[in-house]
Amino acid sequence: MSKVVLVTGGSRSGKSRFAETLALGYPAMRGYLATAEAGDAEMAERIARHQGRRGEEWHTMEEPLQVEEKVRANDGRFQVILLDCVTLWLSNLLFSCEGGAAEALSRVERFTESFKSLQTPLVIVTNEVGMGIVPEHPLSRTFRDLSGEANELIAARADEVHVCFAGLPLKLKG
């Protein structure tokens, strides 16, 4: 069984940078599994900024929906895989799965069950979206609840869990 590390935090908290630092502790060949899709110019700029920060030490794989399958297909190929991020994966699933949030959560559960069979260490980034006000819109509440439940599932099966606030990581587990 490989080591699984979860890194969470709010928007612009430094979680991706910290996760990259953790992954840099492993020798090269590093895999970077990106779940974001550039749906607009602002998102394209964010993706480009992340890519530029990583440099050539990383092999980038893009997969908005089939995350578990992509991790399994690349298990053993890299010294570490960094998944960034679960929150965007959930958003993608929520809008593409016929079963909505229940199906998305089921996919997360299957993904976490695969942790015990992985050979490659996995660093996972996710957003903490549940610390603000209760959203007004039902879809927003569904997404907030789905994110919280998914983060709980992943954290329960991860070997380490860190949260980032203002660029400062705090170790919660492991």
Side-chain angles (χ1 to χ4, degrees):
M1 181 173 134
S2 71
K3 184 174 187 177
V4 176
V5 179
L6 178 65
V7 179
T8 189
S11 177
R12 308 296 296 159
S13 64
K15 63 191 172 299
S16 290
R17 190 170 314 140
F18 177 66
E20 290 167 10
T21 299
L22 291 175
L24 286 171
Y26 292 89
M29 259 312 261
R30 297 178 193 94
Y32 188 97
L33 178 51
T35 61
E37 294 183 290
D40 57 40
E42 186 270 339
M43 193 61 172
E45 191 276 325
R46 282 178 182 260
I47 290 169
R49 188 172 55 238
H50 273 245
Q51 289 172 336
R53 185 173 68 222
R54 285 192 308 271
E56 295 182 17
E57 297 178 345
W58 298 84
H59 173 79
T60 300
M61 304 166 282
E62 296 178 355
E63 179 50 60
L65 296 170
Q66 306 301 325
V67 167
E68 177 191 358
E69 294 83 348
K70 193 67 144 181
V71 169
R72 283 182 180 270
N74 287 281
D75 191 24
R77 179 176 175 207
F78 301 104
Q79 297 299 313
V80 64
I81 295 174
L82 192 156
L83 165 59
D84 196 356
C85 85
V86 167
T87 315
L88 288 172
W89 178 40
L90 293 172
S91 178
N92 298 337
L93 289 174
L94 190 57
F95 289 109
S96 68
C97 293
E98 289 183 23
E103 184 179 340
L105 193 60
S106 176
R107 303 254 312 252
V108 172
E109 177 71 29
R110 274 198 325 268
F111 178 55
T112 64
E113 288 170 358
S114 75
F115 291 173
K116 59 184 171 263
S117 65
L118 293 176
Q119 298 172 12
T120 305
L122 185 59
V123 179
I124 302 170
V125 177
T126 191
N127 286 279
E128 176 50 60
V129 299
M131 296 177 76
I133 61 171
V134 175
E136 179 180 350
H137 192 273
L139 179 60
S140 298
R141 288 191 299 273
T142 296
F143 178 73
R144 180 212 46 200
D145 293 349
L146 171 61
S147 296
E149 290 178 276
N151 288 348
E152 281 187 55
L153 288 171
I154 296 168
R157 293 203 169 124
D159 301 296
E160 284 183 24
V161 178
H162 302 264
V163 64
C164 291
F165 296 103
L168 301 173
L170 176 64
K171 191 172 194 177
L172 301 177
K173 177 182 175 182

